[in-house]
Amino acid sequence: MNEIGEYIISLSNVDKYFGTNHVIQNFHLNVRQGEFLTLLGPSGCGKTTILRMIAGFEDSSGGTIRVQGERVEDKEAFERDVNTVFQSYALFPHMTVFDNIAYGLSVKKVPKSEIKERVKEMLELVQLMGFEGRKPAMMSGGQKQRVAIARALINRPKVLLLDEPLGALDLKLRKQMQIELKRLQKKLNITFIYVTHDQEEAMTMSDRIAVMNGGVLEQLDTPDQIYKHPKTKFVADFIGESNLFDGIAKPAESISAHMENGTIQKEFTVLTASGIFPLVQNVTEESCSVTKEPLDSGSGLPLTVCVRPEVMKYSKCPVEGFSLSGVIKNVIFVGSQYRSLIVMDNGYEVRVNRIKPDQTVSEGERVFLFWDLEDASCIFQRKEG
Amino acid sequence: MNPSESQGEKNTLAKTRNLKRNTLPALTMAGPVTFWMLVFVLLPLLYVVFISFMRRDAFGGIDYHVTLSNYVEILQPVYLKVIWKSIKLALLTTVICILIGYPLAYYIARKPSKLAAKLLMLVMIPFWTNTLVRLYSINLMGQPNGFLNQFLLRAGLISKPLDILYSDGIVVVGLLISMLPFAILPLYASIEKLDKSYLEASSDLGARPAITFLRVTIPLTLPGIVAAVMLVFIPSLGMYYVPEALGGGKVMLIGSLIRNQFLVTKNWPFGASLSILLLLITLIMLWLYTRIAKLDDMEVF
Ligand SMILES: Nc1ncnc2c1ncn2[C@@H]1O[C@H](COP(=O)(O)OP(=O)(O)OP(=O)(O)O)[C@@H](O)[C@H]1O
Ligand SMILES: [Mg+2]
């Protein structure tokens, strides 16, 4: 088991109320040293609130927050070893770039000569040499952004908190700054906790992503795992495109369970409103405990199966085990992909993305859906209690 | 001719054309205001300047002979003393107004806006009641047999009535009571506008609250402070009814002095020269104000 002290930031059972509004609910989050962790979620889900509680601008209503294993709930923001890059930059308008960057050192009474040296170092790091005499009002968004980063980094914090730092930049500058931020993070080996509601940004930059919804942590995983194996319907829906089938899984008639590295692979048949299809699932301790129900209970197990549009396939004749058919409604070329919309017999619309056009079928034609069994991921309905 | 020169020429041409196109509507709009300013501000002012260089005749009228004697008279120690005292008391009033007004304005500005509006109202209400009524009620309270002395006597805190009235102190109190709202309002406006994220950024970078206050809050609310200083200092300097109501004849300030020249001793030329002096002090203050405002060409304001 991991010791709490091993994590640089650790939140457990954190709650936050604004009045009666329960905005963060029983939140757990452990962040490793040197990690790039992103909080991702829709607007109002509580990302900023989490950052503000870590920084010390907001008190938590319950639970513990640890920085390097040490509880910080009673520490003021100025006593905490974390620094923040604000979304609006919050550069002091009455100070020059030099004074802004030097601020963190000058309030600590660091000698002038050292301040000068370290500011210079920072200016080089963010490539703003020659701007030290300017006021923030005379700089572009991207330049202000760099000043904000330099100002936060000069204290050599253990953790840098960034609240949508690229939100105000245009697409091209954003991409460029994404690369630069990642470079900085690697070079300095500082832990970044990064807030964004841009999925693509989260996917490309993060070591791990914490997907939040309504103040609840939905899933904490690597970008790859989040995409391929969403644990909740919300995550499946929020991250990328997905086709979701709600249904009931019953053990397949020809029970063929086989062991592989300690996990048992079991075959099921899933019955949904749109049709029937097979499912292979690793039966582990974990999946049993999530459902609180033995996987092979006779009545079948309610679940949702997620199949991404780019792994969804169709053919003109039925595929063994699958009984999912629909009519192609339309095919749209969007530059990199051909997107088809297939309407199932019960009205459910399934999306299929292909790199190449399919000349053999045309709109209005009936097709049969299938996929490689390992491409489907399965979401168990969470049981209360 | 090089290209940049012809460019400059084009620019000036465009400017003249713009000027022509824009003057007429601008004039019609500014016309009434200009007229008002001319008739009710500039002309009386010029008249005051004019008579400040005239002589007083034996009957309190104006003798039309040019002289500098009115200005020379100001240099007499007795008048310089009055001027110096006026500046001193006005400065004291201003400093106390800021020291009381700033924390109060800060407190109000940090409240939710609905409550803040109510609190501001409380600041303003006394300001809407007649100032003279307020001043004379203070006068009554401060009398030897007034409420305050009687209370202290009965409580056994003093053995004979205090000389509360007719002192510099009570005049400053009167000035404070009259001027405090003028300090609070601009202070409130600038503190309320102060973005909280600057304070958070400062704290985030390791500054204790006192340092944040000195290095971020004060500089960013400086325009409000300067405005408050102007709005308190200038009227305090010329105020004549406060020393009148509370200082009796004993505390003579420049405002009362001017008033006396016009209404009592009927020396209009001397009163006019004192008025011009007051105006000059005000102009110097305004000039300083624009200097400070220019010094802080900040985006937030
Ligand atoms: N100071 C506050 N007082 C009351 N409610 C607040 C306050 N700050 C945030 N909230 C509420 O808490 C919830 C979470 O807000 P938060 O700012 O953390 O969302 P967010 O995930 O950062 O959203 P966004 O992506 O739009 O920035 C929201 O419902 C918001 O209305
Ligand atoms: Mg936010």
Side-chain angles (χ1 to χ4, degrees), chain A residues 24 29 33 44-45 69 82 85 125 136 174 209-210 214-215 281 287 336:
Chain A
I24 300 293
L29 181 68
Q33 158 64 36
C45 71
V82 296
V85 175
L125 190 70
R174 236 180 129 105
I209 299 176
Q281 188 58 24
S287 58
S336 56

Side-chain angles (χ1 to χ4, degrees), chain A residues 43-63:
Chain A
S43 189
C45 71
K47 307 178 294 289
T48 299
T49 307
I50 293 279
L51 278 203
R52 291 174 59 81
M53 287 193 293
I54 297 173
F57 305 137
E58 210 80 70
D59 289 331
S60 56
S61 311

Side-chain angles (χ1 to χ4, degrees), chain A residues 52 55 57 77-78 82-84 86 88 90-95 103-104 106-108 136-137 144 151-152 155, chain B residues 195-209 211-212 215-216 219-220 295-300:
Chain A
R52 291 174 59 81
F57 305 137
F78 62 85
V82 296
N83 285 114
T84 307
F86 293 81
S88 54
L91 297 178
F92 303 125
H94 58 298
M95 295 184 196
Y103 192 83
S106 71
V107 298
K108 292 205 183 90
K144 282 190 217 172
R151 184 179 70 170
N155 279 344
Chain B
D195 191 340
K196 229 179 137 195
S197 65
Y198 295 129
L199 310 183
E200 285 177 350
S202 172
S203 177
D204 187 69
L205 292 164
R208 303 182 156 276
I211 298 196
T212 298
R215 296 194 51 181
V216 179
L220 289 182
L295 221 65
D296 290 275
D297 50 309
M298 301 175 220
E299 74 206 296
V300 275

Side-chain angles (χ1 to χ4, degrees), chain A residues 187-236:
Chain A
K187 184 171 168 187
L188 302 171
N189 193 28
I190 291 180
T191 310
F192 273 34
I193 303 184
Y194 191 94
V195 164
T196 180
H197 52 224
D198 179 341
Q199 296 184 23
E200 203 185 317
E201 192 168 293
M203 287 287 174
T204 53
M205 296 174 83
S206 321
D207 295 324
R208 286 195 301 163
I209 299 176
V211 183
M212 297 174 62
N213 182 32
V216 175
L217 180 63
E218 294 269 339
Q219 187 171 357
L220 174 60
D221 241 324
T222 60
D224 185 61
Q225 282 296 310
I226 294 245
Y227 189 79
K228 285 192 184 142
H229 299 289
K231 283 223 178 84
T232 67
K233 266 174 101 165
F234 173 82
V235 176

